[in-house]
Amino acid sequence: MKIPFNKMQGAGNDFIVVNNLELGLTGEQLSQLAKQTCERRVSVGADTLIAIEAAKNGGDFYARYYNSDGSEAEMCGNGARCVARFAYEIGLALEEMVIESIAGDVPAQRLSERIYRVQLNSPAVFKQDIVLQVEGREIIVDYVELGNPGIPHLVVHYPDLAMTQLETILDLGRELRNHPAFEKGANVNFYDLLRDGHVVERTYERGVEDFTLACGTGTGSTAYVLNKKGLTPDNPVKVEVLGGQLQVNVEGENLFLIGDTNRVIEGTIIDENLNL
């Protein structure tokens, strides 16, 4: 089976984008496609596969997000920015659009050829200063769920994060991601504040089960927590991730994620190992 696709990335978060309006693949097939084609070295490689489908509730289109392990995610902030650009450039949407998702509607806007802004799902749950027992010590975390059903995020302060090798906090990220206190598990966003007011962030993503170069909803959750706790005076909050910089405008309960997009590859998947 030949599958047309675009490879895109935003702040280093990379995606395989397919037009399921044309392909007509089932959810089970999309899950298998993600699991096989997102695997690096042996196929295209990506953090997430995004499939565009027909709108269900008056939006411009519906986007389904599949992690590299084949599990379906509620939404993806950087993925929404990339798929907004894809939809605009194939004529599926105008410069302002509404992307439907499991977690709810996501308004998106084209600011320039490569810069896109999306309004993340508003926080439905916010719990501050939760004390967890991890690796024999107490860890204080904040918990945020964006949308309904919510995308779960932990926000964890980690001093000197910019100088910290990810291998040294990999086990901690994994333990927090799977902590029994959170029924759905959680993405884990470590952060530190720099003197210039910028934020450093490193995210361990569920579904990918590793650190990624960026996580849009994680960045939004981190900016929300810092804003609510009065820890950063800046708005937009500028967040330095491994893949570059993202900005988040926090306007009450409304979160706007802004950043660059990049179309990397346009082609056809002919992977002979595909089993759909």
Side-chain angles (χ1 to χ4, degrees):
M1 182 177 187
K2 295 183 178 182
I3 300 175
F5 80 105
N6 267 237
K7 176 75 178 288
M8 303 184 71
Q9 63 96 355
N13 228 177
D14 59 342
F15 310 97
I16 297 168
V17 182
V18 298
N19 187 348
N20 205 35
L21 290 165
E22 298 176 350
L23 293 171
L25 298 176
T26 66
E28 183 178 348
Q29 288 175 314
L30 289 170
S31 173
Q32 186 62 31
L33 180 65
K35 193 171 183 179
Q36 291 188 244
T37 60
C38 287
E39 188 174 356
R40 302 188 190 278
R41 300 182 184 86
V42 299
S43 192
V44 179
D47 292 326
T48 305
L49 180 138
I50 308 174
I52 287 180
E53 298 186 345
K56 305 175 189 295
N57 296 301
D60 288 276
F61 60 93
Y62 190 94
R64 301 180 72 171
Y65 304 86
Y66 289 87
N67 296 314
S68 58
D69 66 356
S71 61
E72 188 168 7
E74 296 88 352
M75 205 277 284
C76 172
N78 288 322
R81 292 192 304 101
C82 286
V83 80
R85 178 177 174 182
F86 178 80
Y88 171 78
E89 293 186 357
I90 67 170
L92 188 61
L94 301 177
E95 290 193 343
E96 294 189 12
M97 67 192 80
V98 175
I99 306 169
E100 297 178 1
S101 75
I102 291 176
D105 288 349
V106 179
Q109 183 179 11
R110 179 182 187 263
L111 300 182
S112 67
E113 181 181 0
R114 292 181 57 170
I115 305 298
Y116 278 72
R117 178 179 73 176
V118 297
Q119 182 175 352
L120 301 174
N121 305 113
S122 295
V125 178
F126 176 36
K127 298 179 181 179
Q128 298 186 51
D129 301 326
I130 302 170
V131 180
L132 301 177
Q133 295 291 330
V134 181
E135 298 180 343
R137 56 179 171 145
E138 290 186 345
I139 303 289
I140 299 175
V141 306
D142 299 294
Y143 179 76
V144 180
E145 285 190 13
L146 300 185
N148 185 22
I151 308 167
H153 283 280
L154 297 181
V155 178
V156 187
H157 180 235
Y158 199 95
D160 299 319
L161 182 62
M163 305 301 293
T164 300
Q165 296 294 318
L166 294 184
E167 305 87 71
T168 65
I169 57 174
L170 183 63
D171 288 342
L172 177 58
R174 187 178 294 117
E175 290 290 330
L176 288 169
R177 177 262 182 270
N178 292 294
H179 199 282
F182 309 104
E183 182 179 352
K184 297 191 294 185
N187 300 285
V188 184
N189 307 282
F190 297 99
Y191 78 90
D192 193 21
L193 296 171
L194 301 180
R195 290 182 180 179
D196 61 3
H198 289 199
V199 179
V200 174
E201 180 191 56
R202 305 288 183 259
T203 299
Y204 184 98
E205 286 200 52
R206 64 175 188 152
V208 179
E209 306 308 333
D210 203 348
F211 284 96
T212 56
L213 297 183
C215 173
T217 55
T219 298
S221 297
T222 300
Y224 178 79
V225 168
L226 296 178
N227 179 273
K228 291 302 178 184
K229 300 179 94 169
L231 295 177
T232 176
D234 292 344
N235 201 12
V237 181
K238 296 180 177 64
V239 184
E240 307 294 339
V241 297
L242 288 171
Q245 184 186 96
L246 292 167
Q247 297 185 34
V248 182
N249 273 106
V250 183
E251 300 177 8
E253 300 300 295
N254 297 320
L255 306 175
F256 298 89
L257 178 71
I258 305 165
D260 185 54
T261 63
N262 184 11
R263 290 184 70 173
V264 181
I265 301 170
E266 182 176 15
T268 304
I269 297 171
I270 57 171
D271 190 338
E272 294 177 334
N273 290 326
L274 274 181
N275 181 22
L276 300 181

